[in-house]
Amino acid sequence: NKESAKEEKISDTPIPEKAPKHVLFQRFAKIFIGCLAAVTSGMMYALYLSAYHERKFWFSNRQELEREITFQGDSAIYYSYYKDMLKAPSFERGVYELTHNNKTVSLKTINAVQQMSLYPELIASVLYQATGSNEIIEPVYFYIGIVFGLQGIYVTALFVTSWLMSGTWLAGMLTVAWFIINRVDTTRIEYSIPLRENWALPYFACQIAALTGYLKSNLNTYGERFCYLLMSASTYTFMMMWEYSHYLLFLQAISLFLLDSFSLEQSDKVHEVYKIYIFSLFLGYLLQFENSALLVSPLLSLVVALMLAKCLQLNVKKGTFIAKIMKVINFYLVCILTVTLNIIMKMFVPHKENGHMLKFLEVKFGLNMTKNFTMNWLLCQESLQAPSQDFFLRLTQSSLLPFYILVLIICFLSMMQVIFRRINGKSLKETITLEDGRIGGRPEIIYHVIHTILLGSLAMVIEGLKYLWTPYVCMLAAFGVCSPELWMTLFKWLRLRTVHPVLLALILSMAVPTIIGLSLWKEFFPRLMTELMELQEFYDPDTVELMTWIKRQAPVAAVFAGSPQLMGAIKLCTGWMVTSLPLYNDDDLLKRNENIYQIYSKRSAEDIYKILTSYKANYLIVEDAICNEVGTMRGCRVKDLLDIANGHVVCEEGDKLTYSKYGRFCHEVKINYSPYVNYFTRVYWNRSYFVYKINTVISFQS
């Protein structure tokens, strides 16, 4: 019956008349200029990042060791594996050594490709060698060039998304302007180039752009197929690039589920997106060495629950009381099925999902208390705190936040108005025109409003998530001020009579973004040019001296112990084995980090010696910056957190005040007296680092 009804509808649909040549030419010119502006914006942003990076680090004038030191923390680990792939005799051998890696962490063999999501490094190494770039460009420039190029694609995708929603490429230009001006809050590319999010988020932005086009009601068949294919490819690529991608897609699936509940016309399209999720999850599971985290992910449970609920739905006439009851039942059914399926999957599928993340969230929201060093250390990280007032002040100074709030309020109220009309069974026009003033009736607008509210809610709790939310704030605000439909919706509510509302809406959709653009140009463009003109310098001679000493003096088989951030730099710059890594997705590595950090606690020399020798460490590096740290947040210094975890200070009311009979190890070992000299021999030091050889034969001296 459904097929016959569709055939009748198609046969009854009048064939549209062919548009005049001048109209076709106008459309072509508009699309051509818009595409040219989008590509140019992406290329200019990539070139800007490259120039800024050069001026900030003086990159071209530095030696290879000094360049590598600019990669900090986990970024150093990612780039070190890229170097290892280039040194391998063949691609197959390089992949084997990474998947059976026993030369990074002592006493531990890891699958680095799976555990650290090294697919970007594998692709970059293949491209570098396959394109013959080794004869043209240095490996580090090729690597960072790819990342900067992806950031250009990121900006282009945001441009296209805003363009698709508003119908004018002027919105895309304003999106790019806001993105670059607020880049401190939109991206972390300036601080850490190889981060997984810098590789993954451009693909997610492409997926968002394709999804936006796919949800549009007036899209033709060819455009729909193109958007579907682009969405499929970008979803899978995004999932392969970042281990936390399925959590972000889970939020997107919730947005689509709510869209499906509110917008009845797009139900089939939404379920096609669900199929893309399932395909990407299972293909990712197979190609990520049977990554069980994907099977127990909430995304898979939600999508399966939605599919089951779809099969159980009954055909009930829309707008009736029974239909409303069925909607409520369907909502609760999906929620119950999602939770049940996730629990069942975790019971039967062996997995090592990030359990520490759940513990962190419990402590973060006050559901639990802990003295655990790792949990408290994570809570003290700035990126995991609530956003500061400076964040909102910066967005307000660039005029982004006020316009975003205005656009969000109008779209949200219009969306709720449309939803209530549908709940009450009132008929609505299938094709929305400008005169209707009903911007909240468009499926892609409903999706983006829900999605930005979800992302914004998380960003208000954890500041690090602002890098997911702020780019879409730029896109949504730019779309709104450039959209005649949004202004028309507002004028219809105000019942404007003095001036023709359609004409005024068209004028404002051009005038407001033009005024915003000119004011941004006048205030912020000189600042951007000044940043490119200023010659900054990254100068760290102590670290350079330390790495040089290790390469010249330390045995090749030596194992170094120290803070995880420093161990990442040692692995990259020297290639020597270390005891820990700056990675926080593995319980064993987290336990190692906590144990090695004990060198800054009030423990005995014998205790520290036993800990280090249990990991086969030969050398210990004490950092003066950590030992004598003066923290900005009370109780958040590493040594304070260790004292709390070890019970050496009062943590809460009711606890007994306890002292340690030993001094702080990092201070005592520098004095060179027994028993410290019995276990450790100082072999190198400078202003920042003290290197001690761990004695294999203990000599007891008085």
Side-chain angles (χ1 to χ4, degrees):
N1 292 333
K2 287 183 179 180
E3 290 178 359
S4 60
K6 286 182 179 179
E7 290 176 0
E8 290 177 5
K9 187 177 181 180
I10 293 171
S11 60
D12 293 340
T13 303
I15 300 173
E17 297 180 3
K18 191 173 181 180
K21 289 185 179 181
H22 69 277
V23 175
L24 293 175
F25 178 77
Q26 288 179 354
R27 291 177 183 174
F28 175 78
K30 181 181 177 181
I31 293 174
F32 176 78
I33 295 173
C35 292
L36 184 63
V39 174
T40 303
S41 299
M43 291 178 62
M44 293 298 292
Y45 179 60
L47 292 173
Y48 169 79
L49 287 177
S50 179
Y52 181 78
H53 182 263
E54 171 63 28
R55 304 295 286 184
K56 183 178 181 180
F57 293 109
W58 248 24
F59 216 64
S60 60
N61 296 321
R62 293 189 174 276
Q63 300 295 324
E64 183 180 5
L65 177 60
E66 293 176 316
R67 291 175 182 172
E68 292 175 349
I69 289 175
T70 61
F71 295 102
Q72 301 288 323
D74 52 349
S75 297
I77 298 298
Y78 298 131
Y79 184 72
S80 71
Y81 287 122
Y82 168 70
K83 283 179 58 180
D84 292 343
M85 282 299 299
L86 296 181
K87 293 176 183 176
S90 65
F91 177 76
E92 292 79 7
R93 183 62 187 175
V95 172
Y96 178 83
E97 289 179 354
L98 291 185
T99 53
H100 303 78
N101 187 279
N102 58 2
K103 297 179 181 179
T104 300
V105 183
S106 61
L107 301 178
K108 189 176 178 69
T109 299
I110 59 175
N111 184 341
V113 177
Q114 178 186 5
Q115 189 164 345
M116 303 179 198
S117 300
L118 295 181
Y119 297 97
E121 282 67 33
L122 298 182
I123 296 171
S125 62
V126 169
L127 291 176
Y128 183 73
Q129 293 175 332
T131 57
S133 300
N134 51 350
E135 300 176 357
I136 304 171
I137 189 173
E138 295 180 53
V140 65
Y141 281 108
F142 186 82
Y143 184 85
I144 64 176
I146 292 178
V147 182
F148 290 156
L150 285 174
Q151 297 306 302
I153 294 174
Y154 191 4
V155 165
T156 301
L158 292 175
F159 183 111
V160 172
T161 306
S162 187
W163 181 14
L164 286 171
M165 294 172 66
S166 64
T168 171
W169 51 265
L170 189 62
M173 297 293 289
L174 188 56
T175 301
V176 174
W178 266 328
F179 182 92
I180 296 175
I181 289 169
N182 296 282
R183 69 186 186 284
V184 176
D185 302 305
T186 56
T187 177
R188 288 197 287 182
I189 189 70
E190 293 181 13
Y191 311 109
S192 190
I193 294 174
L195 284 179
R196 301 300 84 179
E197 65 191 60
N198 292 334
W199 287 89
L201 289 181
Y203 295 102
F204 185 60
C206 291
Q207 193 251 21
I208 292 284
L211 179 60
T212 303
Y214 186 67
L215 291 176
K216 288 177 73 71
S217 302
N218 57 349
L219 192 67
N220 59 42
T221 305
Y222 297 106
E224 191 173 301
R225 289 176 183 174
F226 174 77
C227 290
Y228 184 82
L229 292 175
L230 178 59
M231 186 167 42
S232 302
S234 54
T235 301
Y236 171 70
T237 309
F238 174 59
M239 195 171 290
M240 293 293 288
M241 292 291 175
W242 197 18
E243 60 181 316
Y244 299 117
S245 58
H246 57 91
Y247 293 113
L248 196 52
L249 292 173
F250 173 66
L251 291 179
Q252 188 183 72
I254 293 176
S255 305
L256 290 172
F257 165 55
L258 295 175
L259 168 65
D260 186 23
S261 302
F262 300 146
S263 179
L264 304 177
E265 291 84 1
Q266 301 297 321
S267 181
D268 293 337
K269 286 187 177 181
V270 170
H271 282 268
E272 288 298 321
V273 180
Y274 295 157
K275 294 177 183 178
I276 293 176
Y277 289 151
I278 292 180
F279 172 79
S280 300
L281 281 168
F282 282 107
L283 190 60
Y285 169 76
L286 295 175
L287 296 182
Q288 289 184 6
F289 306 93
E290 299 183 355
N291 185 5
S292 58
L294 296 180
L295 294 183
V296 299
S297 69
L299 174 63
L300 181 61
S301 302
L302 175 62
V303 172
V304 173
L306 289 167
M307 292 292 190
L308 291 174
K310 176 73 173 177
C311 297
L312 297 175
Q313 279 184 356
L314 300 175
N315 291 324
V316 182
K317 187 178 180 181
K318 301 174 186 177
T320 62
F321 178 76
I322 297 177
K324 298 174 186 178
I325 296 296
M326 290 302 297
K327 277 288 182 184
V328 177
I329 293 175
N330 181 69
F331 183 84
Y332 281 104
L333 178 64
V334 169
C335 295
I336 293 170
L337 280 175
T338 301
V339 175
T340 305
L341 288 172
N342 195 251
I343 293 173
I344 293 174
M345 292 296 286
K346 289 183 177 180
M347 288 174 59
F348 292 98
V349 177
H351 67 284
K352 290 184 180 179
E353 196 187 11
N354 301 312
H356 61 278
M357 287 181 57
L358 298 177
K359 296 177 183 177
F360 165 77
L361 292 175
E362 289 179 2
V363 179
K364 173 74 175 177
F365 294 110
L367 302 177
N368 197 359
M369 298 293 292
T370 182
K371 294 182 180 180
N372 181 267
F373 169 79
T374 302
M375 290 296 106
N376 288 326
W377 184 83
L378 289 173
L379 285 170
C380 284
Q381 298 304 298
E382 185 178 353
S383 60
L384 298 177
Q385 301 289 323
S388 62
Q389 293 182 355
D390 293 339
F391 166 61
F392 299 104
L393 184 61
R394 287 191 298 269
L395 297 188
T396 304
Q397 287 175 342
S398 64
S399 71
L400 173 60
L401 190 59
F403 282 108
Y404 167 74
I405 294 174
L406 173 66
V407 171
L408 182 62
I409 290 174
I410 294 174
C411 291
F412 180 77
L413 292 178
S414 179
M415 180 185 80
M416 296 305 297
Q417 187 180 34
V418 171
I419 290 171
F420 281 121
R421 286 180 178 177
R422 282 179 177 154
I423 290 175
N424 294 328
K426 294 182 180 180
S427 59
L428 297 172
K429 291 169 61 178
E430 292 185 5
T431 305
I432 301 173
T433 60
L434 179 59
E435 291 80 3
D436 295 331
R438 188 156 48 89
I439 195 169
R442 291 165 53 187
E444 68 273 21
I445 304 300
I446 297 176
Y447 159 72
H448 279 288
V449 168
I450 298 172
H451 198 191
T452 191
I453 290 175
L454 291 177
L455 289 175
S457 302
L458 294 176
M460 294 304 103
V461 179
I462 299 176
E463 185 174 7
L465 296 178
K466 70 181 181 181
Y467 299 107
L468 303 176
W469 178 60
T470 314
Y472 297 102
V473 171
C474 300
M475 180 267 297
L476 199 68
F479 135 73
V481 297
C482 296
S483 173
E485 289 183 67
L486 183 128
W487 297 109
M488 189 62 198
T489 302
L490 179 61
F491 295 151
K492 194 165 185 179
W493 291 341
L494 299 176
R495 301 191 179 186
L496 190 65
R497 304 291 185 187
T498 55
V499 183
H500 198 287
V502 175
L503 179 62
L504 186 58
L506 291 171
I507 293 173
L508 286 179
S509 65
M510 295 292 290
V512 173
T514 303
I515 295 171
I516 295 173
L518 291 175
S519 63
L520 293 178
W521 178 279
K522 182 179 179 180
E523 184 176 355
F524 292 98
F525 183 75
R527 299 184 190 180
L528 296 176
M529 292 298 102
T530 303
E531 289 177 354
L532 291 181
M533 295 300 294
E534 288 181 353
L535 187 61
Q536 306 178 42
E537 188 171 7
F538 181 82
Y539 187 61
D540 191 1
D542 293 341
T543 305
V544 173
E545 291 173 6
L546 173 65
M547 300 303 169
T548 304
W549 180 86
I550 292 173
K551 295 174 76 172
R552 292 177 179 175
Q553 302 295 331
V556 177
V559 178
F560 284 83
S563 69
Q565 288 72 21
L566 181 60
M567 294 302 99
I570 289 176
K571 171 63 177 71
L572 168 59
C573 299
T574 68
W576 266 244
M577 193 177 292
V578 295
T579 56
S580 59
L581 291 175
L583 300 172
Y584 310 103
N585 58 356
D586 183 88
D587 292 336
D588 180 59
L589 286 176
L590 287 173
K591 187 63 178 176
R592 281 176 175 249
N593 293 346
E594 182 177 351
N595 289 337
I596 299 300
Y597 265 130
Q598 295 297 324
I599 62 179
Y600 301 104
S601 68
K602 297 177 179 179
R603 300 280 292 271
S604 67
E606 184 179 0
D607 288 346
I608 302 299
Y609 180 82
K610 288 180 179 179
I611 290 173
L612 296 176
T613 52
S614 67
Y615 295 120
K616 300 297 181 182
N618 305 116
Y619 290 89
L620 167 66
I621 303 178
V622 176
E623 296 175 63
D624 200 55
I626 300 178
C627 191
N628 299 315
E629 181 182 4
V630 180
T632 55
M633 292 183 62
R634 185 179 178 185
C636 275
R637 297 179 301 179
V638 168
K639 51 188 179 183
D640 295 337
L641 297 174
L642 289 168
D643 291 343
I644 292 172
N646 295 335
H648 295 155
V649 294
V650 171
C651 180
E652 304 170 13
E653 294 182 4
D655 283 359
K656 294 181 180 180
L657 181 63
T658 58
Y659 295 96
S660 173
K661 62 180 180 180
Y662 304 104
R664 197 167 301 281
F665 175 82
C666 62
H667 289 152
E668 301 296 324
V669 74
K670 296 177 185 177
I671 304 176
N672 283 336
Y673 69 90
S674 184
Y676 295 92
V677 294
N678 303 335
Y679 298 98
F680 307 97
T681 302
R682 187 164 65 188
V683 293
Y684 172 80
W685 70 93
N686 59 29
R687 292 175 300 177
S688 302
Y689 304 102
F690 294 81
V691 182
Y692 297 88
K693 189 177 187 304
I694 302 172
N695 299 331
T696 53
V697 178
I698 303 175
S699 58
F700 290 94
Q701 304 174 17
S702 57

